[in-house]
Amino acid sequence: MQAQFDLVLNQILTNLPPQTEQPRIAVAYSGGLDSAVLLKLCATFAQHHSLPLMALHVHHGLSPNANAWVVHCEQQCKAMDIPFEVAYVQLGQTQDEGIEATARKKRYSALGQLSQQHQIDVLLTAHHQDDQAETLLLQLLRGAGIAGLCGMQQSHYAKSLLENETLLLVRPLLNATREEIERYATEHQIQHIEDESNLDERFARNALRHQIMPLLAQHFPGFQSRFARTALHAQSALVLLEQLAQQDYRLCLSESNSRELNVVTLQDLPDERIDNVLRYWIAVHNVQMPSAARLSEIRKQLLHARDDAQVCVKHGEVEVHRYRQQLSIAKCALPTPDVISFVWQGQASIAFPSFAGQLCFHKAQPDQFGIPSKWLAEQRLQIRPRQGGERLKLAPNRPTRDMKSHYQTAGIAYWQRERLPFVFADKELVFAAGIGMNGALSALQLNGDQADCYVLEWQAD
């Protein structure tokens, strides 16, 4: 088993980026049978290749034995001269996701943070072929699509799961069976703990493991390897779907904005390819993937509306908008913020979290209209949301227009307008985010130090 393990892990490490000369490896070590075997195999590998290795443990506090497990893991690591680190996490509220899903999310997040603290390049977990079969069955029972049927990959960068962009997640035992792992543990007298929660058949995975899997093994011997092969086929199919999605995505991108989609071009595609593009687009924005039914509903609402429609579909913490034949994704709007008074003291920028952005102050160029810094510093400024009735004159030789006219000319979508703040000095409008400075104040520049004038700019978070 060691030889096969070395072959798999060595091949993965060989394909790391060139700058990773001596990768730092960590094992996700729960103390259970699988992770105990993984730690032993990895210790031998690291010793032979002179690689730094450490063990990471997550204490969920769910079991009365959790503290004892920490002691056991620490003792085992000390005996093997392997650095050991533990993270203590609190699950908090679990009503929406359930204990299993919440614990998994917290565990991987903690592992990602520990890895970042210790500059770990590769994190190993002890998932094996039987785990892959269980995962595939669970996904089938949930009605998963191709992505779900891919099961677990042997190595990948799970940025959102680990909350770590550079950490490679590796499952070197994915082709090993539970039986092989148990045999190795017996032969090498590996000590491990027993997690009593693994016997609780109220959890779906445990019910499969103890009731369904033995029946499958009895009637379909070796089914695990065939399930694993199915997962590989699904992974290949997913690669092709993603390549097609990339092509269609580039085709449907708006000419004016690299993160928006053109409705007209999108409508020329079959529904299946539209859904494929929408999934890819949603993933680009790092948004949780909707179910197939929800995605179909989003497609119908966005693409079957009138050409001049202004459609907004909420999905989780974001909104999908249609405006002027373009689709865009944005975070859900915050509650209307209160008016905030402030004094400018020469800062390059001032953050306003309730407005989800920051106000920036740039030195005006010689040919650019700006406001003298002395005048700005003397004012009691206010940043406020749109209240209606605001009017703005962009230059001395241009007419004063209402904000709706400015927004339409600038092509600012209806949903963005309510998020763009205004800056006032007493009752005088100084700046409208997304549009510009009040040109009616140009006399200030003529009367002040023209070399020390500033332009305001709004940067959304």
Side-chain angles (χ1 to χ4, degrees):
M1 190 172 186
Q2 184 72 55
Q4 181 61 29
F5 176 87
D6 290 358
L7 182 66
V8 169
L9 187 54
N10 194 53
Q11 185 175 8
I12 291 171
L13 296 182
T14 301
N15 292 324
L16 286 173
Q19 62 269 26
T20 315
E21 295 181 2
Q22 189 183 42
R24 296 180 61 84
I25 302 173
V27 170
Y29 180 42
S30 68
L33 173 68
D34 302 336
S35 66
V37 167
L38 174 63
L39 187 65
K40 177 70 170 73
L41 290 166
C42 202
T44 303
F45 178 89
Q47 186 176 8
H48 287 168
H49 293 80
S50 300
L51 292 176
L53 172 68
M54 75 179 303
L56 307 178
H57 180 88
V58 179
H59 181 297
H60 298 97
L62 293 175
S63 170
N65 301 309
N67 290 334
W69 295 344
V70 172
V71 173
H72 166 85
C73 292
E74 191 169 19
Q75 289 174 345
Q76 295 302 308
C77 289
K78 187 175 181 181
M80 289 188 283
D81 196 25
I82 297 173
F84 174 77
E85 186 74 48
V86 59
Y88 294 85
V89 301
Q90 298 291 330
L91 295 194
Q93 300 295 322
T94 62
Q95 302 98 307
D96 295 337
E97 296 180 307
I99 292 177
E100 279 185 300
T102 304
R104 177 179 180 273
K105 184 179 294 185
K106 294 277 188 178
R107 179 168 63 254
Y108 277 107
S109 175
L111 289 169
Q113 290 175 22
L114 284 176
S115 296
Q116 193 164 33
Q117 291 171 17
H118 294 279
Q119 298 180 314
I120 298 299
D121 301 299
V122 181
L123 175 66
L124 307 185
T125 66
H127 295 101
H128 48 72
Q129 198 174 84
D130 292 71
D131 292 325
Q132 181 78 302
E134 291 168 4
T135 299
L136 209 61
L137 271 174
L138 284 170
Q139 294 291 358
L140 280 169
L141 293 170
R142 292 167 182 161
I146 292 295
L149 298 181
C150 288
M152 297 177 285
Q153 294 174 268
Q154 191 161 63
S155 65
H156 64 122
Y157 291 94
K159 298 178 183 178
S160 59
L161 182 65
L162 294 165
E163 299 179 10
N164 186 322
E165 294 190 356
T166 61
L167 182 62
L168 182 66
L169 181 62
V170 176
R171 303 178 178 94
L173 298 178
L174 204 55
N175 292 323
T177 65
R178 181 178 285 118
E179 183 180 349
E180 290 172 330
I181 291 172
E182 290 173 347
R183 188 185 311 124
Y184 183 90
T186 301
E187 291 172 354
H188 292 80
Q189 299 180 334
I190 294 176
Q191 297 181 36
H192 60 89
I193 59 100
E194 294 288 351
D195 185 347
E196 69 279 357
S197 69
N198 289 334
L199 301 175
D200 189 346
E201 295 184 7
R202 290 176 300 174
F203 298 127
R205 184 176 289 273
N206 289 342
L208 277 179
R209 182 175 301 166
H210 298 296
Q211 295 185 30
I212 307 302
M213 303 291 273
L215 287 174
L216 287 173
Q218 179 183 345
H219 296 284
F220 304 95
F223 74 94
Q224 297 95 330
S225 63
R226 293 190 290 276
F227 275 27
R229 190 162 62 245
T230 296
L232 291 176
H233 292 326
Q235 289 172 20
S236 296
L238 185 63
V239 169
L240 295 176
L241 284 173
E242 288 179 345
Q243 290 175 352
L244 178 61
Q246 289 173 3
Q247 294 175 14
D248 288 341
Y249 176 69
R250 288 193 291 267
L251 178 69
C252 296
L253 277 178
S254 167
E255 294 181 0
S256 60
N257 191 311
S258 62
R259 290 174 69 85
E260 295 182 351
L261 297 181
N262 183 282
V263 171
V264 176
T265 309
L266 199 60
Q267 286 173 328
D268 287 338
L269 299 175
D271 287 350
E272 293 80 8
R273 283 173 65 177
I274 292 175
D275 287 350
N276 198 35
V277 174
L278 290 178
R279 287 193 191 93
Y280 184 85
W281 181 53
I282 289 169
V284 166
H285 284 79
N286 296 315
V287 175
Q288 183 179 358
M289 199 60 61
S291 66
R294 181 60 177 154
L295 185 67
S296 177
E297 184 62 29
I298 291 173
R299 168 167 47 80
K300 290 176 182 177
Q301 290 190 45
L302 293 173
L303 301 186
H304 294 180
R306 301 189 320 271
D307 289 346
D308 60 347
Q310 298 179 354
V311 182
C312 172
V313 181
K314 289 190 176 181
H315 169 61
E317 298 180 353
V318 300
E319 298 169 346
V320 187
H321 296 272
R322 171 173 170 170
Y323 176 72
R324 289 187 177 180
Q325 302 289 55
Q326 307 296 323
L327 299 185
S328 55
I329 291 178
K331 292 180 180 178
C332 291
L334 296 172
T336 302
D338 296 327
V339 175
I340 299 176
S341 297
F342 68 100
V343 175
W344 181 62
Q345 298 176 322
Q347 306 97 312
S349 63
I350 303 175
F352 293 96
S354 61
F355 286 86
Q358 58 181 337
L359 187 62
C360 302
F361 299 81
H362 305 294
K363 273 284 187 77
Q365 299 299 316
D367 59 345
Q368 189 178 22
F369 159 56
I371 297 178
S373 61
K374 184 176 184 300
W375 183 88
L376 268 178
E378 291 173 346
Q379 306 305 307
R380 185 169 178 81
L381 302 171
Q382 286 186 336
I383 185 168
R384 64 174 70 164
R386 186 182 183 188
Q387 297 175 346
E390 295 91 352
R391 297 174 65 81
L392 182 66
K393 183 184 183 74
L394 285 175
N397 60 346
R398 295 175 66 178
T400 300
R401 303 171 69 198
D402 60 65
M403 293 310 302
K404 182 178 180 181
S405 300
H406 282 299
Y407 290 143
Q408 288 177 336
T409 300
I412 296 175
Y414 68 95
W415 57 271
Q416 293 175 317
R417 299 172 189 177
E418 303 305 319
R419 307 180 187 205
L420 295 174
F422 295 81
V423 176
F424 278 80
D426 194 17
K427 295 182 180 180
E428 185 79 58
L429 175 60
V430 176
F431 169 73
I435 301 301
M437 308 279 287
N438 185 357
L441 299 176
S442 59
L444 294 172
Q445 186 175 20
L446 296 175
N447 298 330
D449 182 359
Q450 298 189 34
D452 191 30
C453 290
Y454 281 80
V455 175
L456 277 63
E457 179 192 13
W458 179 252
Q459 290 185 358
D461 292 341

